[in-house]
Amino acid sequence: TWVLGLNLLLIAFFTYLSPNHVFWSARNLQNQLLNGSEGLLLAIAMTILLAAGLFDISLGVNLAFSSVVGAMALVTVSGGSVALLGGSSVGDNVYTNVGLGLVAGLLAALATGVTFGLVNGLIIAYLRVNSLIATLGTLSVGTGLMLLLTGGADIGGLPPELQDDFGLATAFGFLPYPFIVALIV
């Protein structure tokens, strides 16, 4: 109740401070829902772990690493070439099969996330390493692998349909699709 009250107080405060009270707008609410979707999914995963008496500090890196592998698979199977942001080939891709690329990207991301979690689980269950210590180690390994794959740069060259038809699309003219997916989960 206190957190809800504090959030309502902060909304009122920032609405008052913003020019023409634009903080209290449909577009800002959409942005907040879209930005909170990823955090909501991570919070659900962490809640399940905490209920089991475990703690996983590598969840964020698992998400990022799985996203990198999925994005690379998506672009490659779609017929484009992976571009690291800052490179000249961003936006130069011609995609021949976005649907198949999307399926490949989702499967690659899911397989990577499951494998990452399985390694955590095996280390904790069979090697009897404390979950905090085990996931601290896999956090470092996952970060290193991700940096090796990307050279420390963001992935570019994704099909624009991915952003237009899902990332920024809304249902009922207002609710972002990623937020609806997070709510369903």
Side-chain angles (χ1 to χ4, degrees), residues 63-117:
L63 171 75
F65 184 52
S66 300
S67 298
V68 163
V69 171
M72 290 179 147
L74 185 148
V75 171
T76 302
V77 173
S78 294
S81 61
V82 175
L84 300 177
L85 290 186
S88 59
S89 63
V90 175
D92 296 339
N93 284 330
V94 176
Y95 302 100
T96 56
N97 198 343
V98 175
L100 184 61
L102 184 59
V103 170
L106 287 172
L107 290 175
L110 187 60
T112 304
V114 167
T115 303
F116 199 97

Side-chain angles (χ1 to χ4, degrees), residues 6-16 23-24:
L6 179 62
N7 280 331
L8 293 175
L9 185 64
L10 286 171
I11 289 170
F13 177 71
F14 286 114
T15 299
Y16 173 75
F23 189 82
W24 186 258

Side-chain angles (χ1 to χ4, degrees), residues 24-167:
W24 186 258
S25 67
R27 185 68 188 143
N28 188 45
L29 181 58
Q30 280 181 320
N31 287 335
Q32 297 298 320
L33 294 175
L34 185 60
N35 292 334
S37 300
E38 183 179 311
L40 179 59
L41 291 172
L42 286 173
I44 291 168
M46 186 57 83
T47 300
I48 293 168
L49 287 169
L50 289 173
L54 300 172
F55 194 75
D56 185 351
I57 60 173
S58 67
L59 272 177
V61 132
N62 187 349
L63 171 75
F65 184 52
S66 300
S67 298
V68 163
V69 171
M72 290 179 147
L74 185 148
V75 171
T76 302
V77 173
S78 294
S81 61
V82 175
L84 300 177
L85 290 186
S88 59
S89 63
V90 175
D92 296 339
N93 284 330
V94 176
Y95 302 100
T96 56
N97 198 343
V98 175
L100 184 61
L102 184 59
V103 170
L106 287 172
L107 290 175
L110 187 60
T112 304
V114 167
T115 303
F116 199 97
L118 182 63
V119 168
N120 278 338
L122 291 173
I123 291 170
I124 294 164
Y126 291 106
L127 298 180
R128 302 276 186 223
V129 176
N130 178 285
S131 64
L132 180 67
I133 301 303
T135 59
L136 178 62
T138 56
L139 172 111
S140 298
V141 170
T143 302
L145 289 172
M146 185 174 47
L147 289 172
L148 280 174
L149 277 175
T150 64
D154 291 334
I155 302 289
L158 295 169
E161 296 90 347
L162 184 62
Q163 190 74 349
D164 296 339
D165 296 341
F166 179 73

